[in-house]
């Protein structure tokens, strides 16, 4: 057994493991600082909880090393169906923090199935795309991958969890591009999003309409389809006010305060304002471990998860944040490089999908901490602990599972 473990470990991409260990250590140091003034039952703090759940993460790592790639490929559709059932199970329990996101076992530990849905959807997409590679030039073929990701995304959106729902959809375009889908088909998928996003500004919408018409002229699709596509997107843009009204009030406030925080400085904009104050006060080298006033005086909300970048910025400074982002960049670039070098299409697609999810998490978490995008409850991989005991466990296990899957696919 030990010889098998050694042989598997010797073939691992060592840089991937090193980067994840470095990020995990940074997260533990930050959580240790946050926990300095936490006193709970039996001295269980955020830091000790994270240390505790490193144990099942390591056990999971060693276990998944022995799962052959063909088993993952063979049973992923069954895992996908099970995942759909699991993300519906939280509706059978009482709400936690006003949402149906967690499965409550009556213990201090709960499970958030939507976190594991991210990598299960990626592997399911990879199997379908690798099995139907020769058919990717047809537009009808790419509708199935959209359906695979859209079904769990819609369920999760109703929990409600807009951030996770969006993350589930992010791997679609990179994976379709990687497998050789036509660029015009990808343009068709992106166009409705841009039509809605630009509809709130007359000049932007006009420029987009011109660009869309130019793209249709250059690609020269069938006349009926081109006319239907163009005016369908224009009509969709005109419907944007109705889509805006469909958002929940707190979601509308988050978007409005992104452009003008003074609209609600003690409400929707409070988190962003305090986060920017914390990062700015840290300067280049930071205030030092345990010396962050925004952190330890509790001005900074959800500091263990959503805004842990602000803790790092305040106590360790801009240089540490820069190093962290460089490590994340090298980590993701290494995954992409390994996907390019993969001998088979299935593992290459899985690597691209998981790399995309990591990149989306890093971008969203750091961007919302600096006020670049509205606040969304997405953790920073390997670093965040989550906002509660149950979330801490689930986020850590989900990120570690993604890493284990990457390593497993690279061993064959």
């Amino acid at each position: 057994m030990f010889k098998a473990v050694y042989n598997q470990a010797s073939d691992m991409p060592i840089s991937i493991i090193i980067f994840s260990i470095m990020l995990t250590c940074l997260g533990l140091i930050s959580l240790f600082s946050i926990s300095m003034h936490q006193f709970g039952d039996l001295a269980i703090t955020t830091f000790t909880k994270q240390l505790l759940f490193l144990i099942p993460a390591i056990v999971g790592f060693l276990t998944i090393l022995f799962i052959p790639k063909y088993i993952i490929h063979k049973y992923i559709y069954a895992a996908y169906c099970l995942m759909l059932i699991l993300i519906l199970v939280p509706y059978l329990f009482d709400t936690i923090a006003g949402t149906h996101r967690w499965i409550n076992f009556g213990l201090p530990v709960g499970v958030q199935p939507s976190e594991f849905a991210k990598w299960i959807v990626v592997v399911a997409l990879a199997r379908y795309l690798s099995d139907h590679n020769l058919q990717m030039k047809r537009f009808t073929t790419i509708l199935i991958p959209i359906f695979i990701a859209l079904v769990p995304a819609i369920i999760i959106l109703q929990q409600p969890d807009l951030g996770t729902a969006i993350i589930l959809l992010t791997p679609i375009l990179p994976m379709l591009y990687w497998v050789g889908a036509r660029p015009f088909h990808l343009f068709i998928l992106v166009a409705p999003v841009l039509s809605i996003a630009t509809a709130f500004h007359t000049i932007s919408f006009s420029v987009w309409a011109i660009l869309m018409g130019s793209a249709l002229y250059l690609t020269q699709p069938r006349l009926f389809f081109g006319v239907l596509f163009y005016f369908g997107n224009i009509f969709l843009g005109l419907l944007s006010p109705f889509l805006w009204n469909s958002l929940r009030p707190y979601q509308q406030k988050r978007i409005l305060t992104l452009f003008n925080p003074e609209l609600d400085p003690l409400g929707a904009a409070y988190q962003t304002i305090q986060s920017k104050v914390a990062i700015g006060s840290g300067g280049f080298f930071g205030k030092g471990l345990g010396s962050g006033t925004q952190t330890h005086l509790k001005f900074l909300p959800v500091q263990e998860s959503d805004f842990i970048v602000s803790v790092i910025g305040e106590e360790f400074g801009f240089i540490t944040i820069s190093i962290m982002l460089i490590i994340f960049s090298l980590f993701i670039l290494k995954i992409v490089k390994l996907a390019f070098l993969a001998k088979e299409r299935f593992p290459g697609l899985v690597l691209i999908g998981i790399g995309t999810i990591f990149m989306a998490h890093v971008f969203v978490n750091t961007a919302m901490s600096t006020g670049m995008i509205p606040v969304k409850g997405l953790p920073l991989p390997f670093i965040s602990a989550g906002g509660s005991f149950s979330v801490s466990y689930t986020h850590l296990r989900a990120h570690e599972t993604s890493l284990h899957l990457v390593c497993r696919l690279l061993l064959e």
Side-chain angles (χ1 to χ4, degrees), residues 370-390:
T370 53
M372 296 174 59
I373 62 173
V375 174
K376 295 309 306 170
L378 288 175
L380 193 61
F382 304 113
I383 294 180
S384 293
S388 68
F389 191 66
S390 59

Side-chain angles (χ1 to χ4, degrees), residues 156 179 226 250 284 343 346 348-349:
I156 292 170
V179 83
Y250 76 90
F284 196 74
K343 297 178 181 180
F346 173 67
L349 284 166

Side-chain angles (χ1 to χ4, degrees), residues 255-284:
I255 296 174
L256 291 174
T257 53
L258 172 67
F259 301 101
N260 186 5
E262 299 302 324
L263 289 176
D264 193 10
L266 298 179
Y270 177 80
Q271 294 174 313
T272 302
I273 291 174
Q274 297 302 324
S275 175
K276 292 166 71 174
V277 169
I279 294 174
S281 64
F284 196 74

Side-chain angles (χ1 to χ4, degrees), residues 16-37:
I16 293 284
I17 303 299
I18 292 175
F19 292 147
S20 63
I21 291 174
M22 293 172 66
L23 292 169
T24 301
C25 290
L26 176 60
L28 288 173
I29 293 172
S30 302
L31 293 174
F32 176 76
S33 175
I34 293 172
S35 301
M36 283 182 175
H37 302 288

